[in-house]
Amino acid sequence: MCGIVGLHLRDPALYPRLGGLLETMLCQVVERGPDSAGVAVYGDQRRCPEGYAAVSLLGAPLGLPEALRKLLAGQPDVMSTEAGDTTVLAAPVSVDELVAAVRVAAPAALVVGSGTDLTVYKGIGHPRALAKTYDLAHAQGWQGLAHTRMATESAVTPQGCHPFSVGPDQCLVHNGSFANHATIRRELIADGASFDSENDSEVGARFVASRLAQGDDLDEALRLLCERFDGFYTLLVTSKDGFAVVRDAIACKPAVIAETDAWVAMASEFRALADLPGIDHARIYEPEPEKVYAWNR
Amino acid sequence: MEPLTTDATPPNHAGPPPLERLVSIDVSVATVRALNNELHHPSAAAYEVLQPQGAHAIAAGIDQALTVDIRGHAGYYCAGMNDGGQIVVHGNVGTGVAENMMSGSVRIRGDASQSAGATGHGGLLVIEGSASMRCGISMKGIDIVVGGDIGPMSAFMAQAGRLVVCGDAGDDLGDSVYEARIYVRGKVGALGADCIEKPMRDEHLAELAALLTAARLDHDPRAFRRYGSGRTLYHFAAHNSAAY
């Protein structure tokens, strides 16, 4: 199964409510994947202020903020937020500088998200409890997504938890399973990619990141993914520019999209959308097989 | 095939209809389990379901001539296995609405997700909006009338019953269809394996007119085209024996 929810806000008046709305959506798809849950939030100034870069980490060692401060040019203060297995670090430097410093100071830790606008949280356990751990209710921002996982292709670990964020300000969540992920993984490794997990969905994320790095937009990258990947998938992919949804040719993994002037939302099931403001007047539809739906800011 | 029946099938094993009063059940307060338990052991003949909020299995397993109005959007398997109920959803429905319906009627005022009317044996399913993929998959006698479009892979292995589409049909319509009859007013993306267009004879125009009347949809039957089985997949072909 697995449950996906995503919300792309058009009306800035809703930005302070992003986390609360996402938490409500997430809690409606708990039964679809009760073993773990991950969340991505774009534009949460509490955790990544304007002019900062943020890195989300699993397995951060004690004293990491101080170690990073010493490594970074100008020795800025490093913000650190612990949220269960995840630690979010932010500093007024570039993303590349912060990621490089994290890899030096904490070589055993796993970077699960990085960017100037993105914070990612992963953990195992009941999604409702994890939402509290991440303090999702108070998150603010312009876009977010969440995933509840029912693991099939790899173990129940924080590392196997979605979203997969393998490029700056990019995220991918997946309901389904890829059949030819091992083949594409080998091809991406031959092209220089390295992987953090055995998860099939990570292969999808690395594939999209590689296409975006080569200049494709989300629409082009996902069209090519449909050509190359076999298996079942409903994917929600986000970037600093927007939000895209695609399903495989058979489209047996569910997806519902709703749109109003104030927001675009996507979820595995309608019930996750039922409490959104203005849902009674939303345009509600199901994405068609192998058609890419994309929205930009 | 059985002639069209536009009236609800009478209840098959219930006593006289219970009290003439309307019972409202708010699913945001009561559980779906409590709702369905009441509908399986009814104290009234008419119900309305409030705040369905996309919950699953609303009004599944009704086996009497109850009327149920669901005011809002319902989730998966709404009105599943219906046997005699007259159920109206004033909203959209998720996957598998009226799956395996035996008799009665289910009307959706909005749109339906995948597999609407799947494996249904009887009764009438009306979707006033559009239905998504696999509408009428493996239908076994149910009648389905869709006011809008239907998605790809609809009427896959449909065995009996009628599927009427007032809009367009997606690709692979009627793949491996048996003896269900399919009527489409708009465009058909592509026909599935062994599904062919067939001539509209008078009896087809008559049964289509009756179905449209039952569904309360006003269209000229002559604007529809009929599709059904080419019957080339029914029997093992001797020339394939070399494959084994």
Side-chain angles (χ1 to χ4, degrees), chain A residues 28 32 247 249-255 268-272 274-275 279-280 284-289, chain B residues 51-56 72-76 92-95 111-114 131-134 152-153:
Chain A
Q28 286 294 327
R32 300 190 62 87
R247 303 168 82 187
I250 304 297
C252 64
K253 295 298 178 185
S268 299
E269 297 180 28
F270 171 78
R271 58 183 168 153
D275 283 326
I279 187 69
D280 290 343
I284 301 169
Y285 56 97
E286 293 192 347
E288 290 179 23
Chain B
Q51 306 256 28
Q53 304 279 72
H56 295 176
H73 304 307
Y76 290 13
N92 302 328
V93 289
T95 295
D111 298 327
S113 181
Q114 298 192 36
S132 181
M133 285 160 285
R134 290 176 265 272
M153 298 170 267

Side-chain angles (χ1 to χ4, degrees), chain B:
Chain B
M1 189 174 298
E2 292 294 311
L4 175 79
T5 54
T6 53
D7 295 322
T9 311
N12 50 1
H13 51 76
L19 302 171
E20 289 298 325
R21 63 187 176 99
L22 176 69
V23 174
S24 290
I25 298 177
D26 185 332
V27 184
S28 68
V29 179
T31 62
V32 172
R33 193 176 290 266
L35 164 73
N36 286 340
N37 195 44
E38 167 67 24
L39 296 175
H40 299 161
H41 306 93
S43 61
Y47 289 85
E48 69 174 355
V49 178
L50 307 177
Q51 306 256 28
Q53 304 279 72
H56 295 176
I58 289 177
I62 289 176
D63 62 357
Q64 305 188 35
L66 307 177
T67 68
V68 180
D69 283 275
I70 298 162
R71 304 203 180 274
H73 304 307
Y76 290 13
Y77 310 120
C78 178
M81 303 172 281
N82 180 41
D83 195 1
Q86 309 279 321
I87 299 159
V88 179
V89 181
H90 301 265
N92 302 328
V93 289
T95 295
V97 63
E99 52 111 17
N100 217 59
M101 175 150 67
M102 303 304 288
S103 68
S105 76
V106 176
R107 175 178 289 270
I108 312 303
R109 307 300 306 272
D111 298 327
S113 181
Q114 298 192 36
S115 305
T119 74
H121 289 251
L124 175 66
L125 169 62
V126 179
I127 296 158
E128 295 185 4
S130 291
S132 181
M133 285 160 285
R134 290 176 265 272
C135 179
I137 182 171
S138 196
M139 54 194 275
K140 296 176 170 69
I142 189 175
D143 290 324
I144 304 174
V145 184
V146 181
D149 304 330
I150 60 171
M153 298 170 267
S154 289
F156 175 64
M157 295 188 84
Q159 290 141 58
R162 283 78 57 96
L163 171 62
V164 178
V165 184
C166 300
D168 300 334
D171 286 345
D172 297 321
L173 176 68
D175 193 290
S176 308
V177 63
Y178 291 80
E179 289 305 298
R181 292 196 283 278
I182 305 169
Y183 299 98
V184 182
R185 181 164 161 271
K187 297 188 297 289
V188 174
L191 293 174
D194 201 32
C195 183
I196 60 171
E197 185 173 350
K198 295 184 165 185
M200 271 283 210
R201 295 193 298 268
D202 288 346
E203 69 263 35
H204 303 119
L205 289 169
E207 80 165 358
L208 178 55
L211 284 162
L212 289 166
T213 301
R216 300 201 297 273
L217 289 167
D218 186 21
H219 292 293
D220 182 352
R222 289 170 297 186
F224 288 74
R225 301 165 82 140
R226 181 168 73 101
Y227 303 88
S229 176
R231 298 177 182 136
T232 63
L233 299 178
Y234 271 31
H235 305 292
F236 184 75
H239 61 80
N240 286 329
S241 58
Y244 298 94

Side-chain angles (χ1 to χ4, degrees), chain A residues 233-285:
Chain A
Y233 49 91
T234 288
L235 298 173
L236 172 61
V237 182
T238 52
S239 72
K240 63 181 169 45
D241 300 319
F243 188 86
V245 177
V246 70
R247 303 168 82 187
D248 68 78
I250 304 297
C252 64
K253 295 298 178 185
V256 184
I257 294 172
E259 279 189 83
T260 69
D261 291 341
W263 45 261
V264 180
M266 177 269 173
S268 299
E269 297 180 28
F270 171 78
R271 58 183 168 153
L273 309 174
D275 283 326
L276 286 172
I279 187 69
D280 290 343
H281 306 291
R283 177 174 167 249
I284 301 169
Y285 56 97

Side-chain angles (χ1 to χ4, degrees), chain A residues 82-129:
Chain A
E82 284 189 31
D85 289 317
T86 306
T87 304
V88 179
L89 300 147
V93 296
S94 74
V95 178
D96 288 347
E97 284 175 275
L98 186 59
V99 170
V102 166
R103 294 203 194 284
V104 171
L110 178 64
V111 174
V112 294
S114 64
T116 54
D117 209 19
L118 170 69
T119 46
V120 173
Y121 306 90
K122 297 190 180 197
I124 56 174
H126 195 280
R128 197 180 297 276

